[in-house]
Amino acid sequence: MGMKFLEENLLHYLRRPEFAELRTAFHTRTFAKGSLIYSPDEKDNLVFIVSSGRVRVYLAYGDKEFTLGILGTGDIYSSHTETFVQALDDVELQVIDVKAFRRRMVGDPEVTKAMVRVLGNILKASFAIIDGLVFKDANCRLIALLVTEARRHGISEPDGVRVDIDLPVEQVARLLGATRQTVSTLLNELVRAGLIRKVARGQYLIPDVEALDASADGLSCR
């Protein structure tokens, strides 16, 4: 989906000849869809790059989960954080010990830029979640998600902009800090209002992105 953090695939960068030795230091780990990959009490301090599938990075407090982002192919992250990492699909990771990674990659501008971008987006998502939970209701957060995805990654079509969320409603609910039933109801209300049209599972057409964005004004979202 459009929440992918990097425009460039870091795996392609690491396939350059000068990184041949580094590539041998990575090892492959596979995880089944739905399995927990890493948790805050992870003992190993690892860096991983997603080579296939998608993983969800989230915080959990009691029975509530707050998704910080979805990592896709070529995204880089670390196991040694206060977040949980879960496989959304069957996932393959390229994994390396942090110390070994640091020895080989310290000072490399492209990898540094990639890591800063991912961590920066995670931090931005954390603040957005806090802001949304404190100041906005679920409808505002849903509209903001759709508008952001449309502007960043939407596909222009003759009758609007198509957004590929590519997640079940349950996962979208976790992104928004809401229940599945609430998100289903809100999506149906947007459809009835003519602000979005459901194309297929996880795909929505937004006839007028600016009109959808403006609809948030009447909800005291800003």
Side-chain angles (χ1 to χ4, degrees):
M1 77 179 275
M3 291 187 67
K4 178 174 168 55
F5 289 146
L6 303 181
E7 297 302 324
E8 298 297 330
N9 187 327
L10 191 57
L11 291 173
H12 294 165
Y13 180 75
L14 293 177
R15 291 191 185 113
R16 294 179 180 180
E18 59 264 36
F19 296 120
E21 181 182 354
L22 173 65
R23 288 197 301 274
T24 64
F26 281 91
H27 59 278
T28 301
R29 288 187 180 179
T30 58
F31 299 88
K33 179 180 180 180
S35 62
L36 184 65
I37 298 174
Y38 298 116
S39 61
D41 58 358
E42 178 68 30
K43 294 181 180 179
D44 295 329
N45 197 355
L46 306 170
V47 169
F48 67 85
I49 301 174
V50 182
S51 51
S52 67
R54 297 170 301 162
V55 302
R56 179 172 73 106
V57 179
Y58 67 97
L59 297 169
Y61 296 99
D63 60 348
K64 294 185 179 297
E65 295 180 0
F66 304 101
T67 298
L68 299 179
I70 308 296
L71 306 183
T73 302
D75 278 331
I76 186 171
Y77 198 58
S78 170
S79 68
H80 198 66
T81 68
E82 292 303 312
T83 59
F84 293 84
V85 181
Q86 179 190 34
L88 288 180
D89 310 307
D90 290 336
V91 168
E92 181 180 282
L93 304 181
Q94 300 302 315
V95 181
I96 186 172
D97 179 78
V98 164
K99 291 181 180 178
F101 184 79
R102 186 184 298 122
R103 284 197 304 270
R104 290 172 168 84
M105 298 304 297
V106 65
D108 185 279
E110 288 301 318
V111 175
T112 300
K113 183 170 66 176
M115 295 188 74
V116 167
R117 193 175 303 160
V118 169
L119 294 174
N121 276 285
I122 289 286
L123 182 60
K124 182 179 178 181
S126 301
F127 283 120
I129 287 171
I130 293 168
D131 177 69
L133 292 175
V134 174
F135 298 111
K136 300 176 183 177
D137 65 17
N139 205 2
C140 297
R141 299 196 294 273
L142 176 59
I143 291 172
L145 172 66
L146 292 170
V147 169
T148 298
E149 290 300 303
R151 288 175 175 165
R152 289 183 180 174
H153 307 286
I155 300 170
S156 295
E157 297 192 347
D159 49 352
V161 177
R162 192 179 84 237
V163 172
D164 294 339
I165 299 296
D166 195 25
L167 290 173
V169 174
E170 180 181 358
Q171 292 291 353
V172 175
R174 288 175 176 173
L175 279 171
L176 302 177
T179 66
R180 184 186 187 283
Q181 182 178 4
T182 295
V183 172
S184 294
T185 299
L186 295 176
L187 285 169
N188 289 334
E189 288 178 354
L190 292 175
V191 170
R192 284 195 294 271
L195 292 169
I196 66 172
R197 295 208 304 267
K198 186 172 182 178
V199 177
R201 184 175 179 270
Q203 293 185 3
Y204 298 90
L205 184 76
I206 304 175
D208 187 336
V209 175
E210 298 308 317
L212 177 62
D213 190 24
S215 71
D217 293 337
L219 300 172
S220 300
C221 294
R222 311 187 212 278

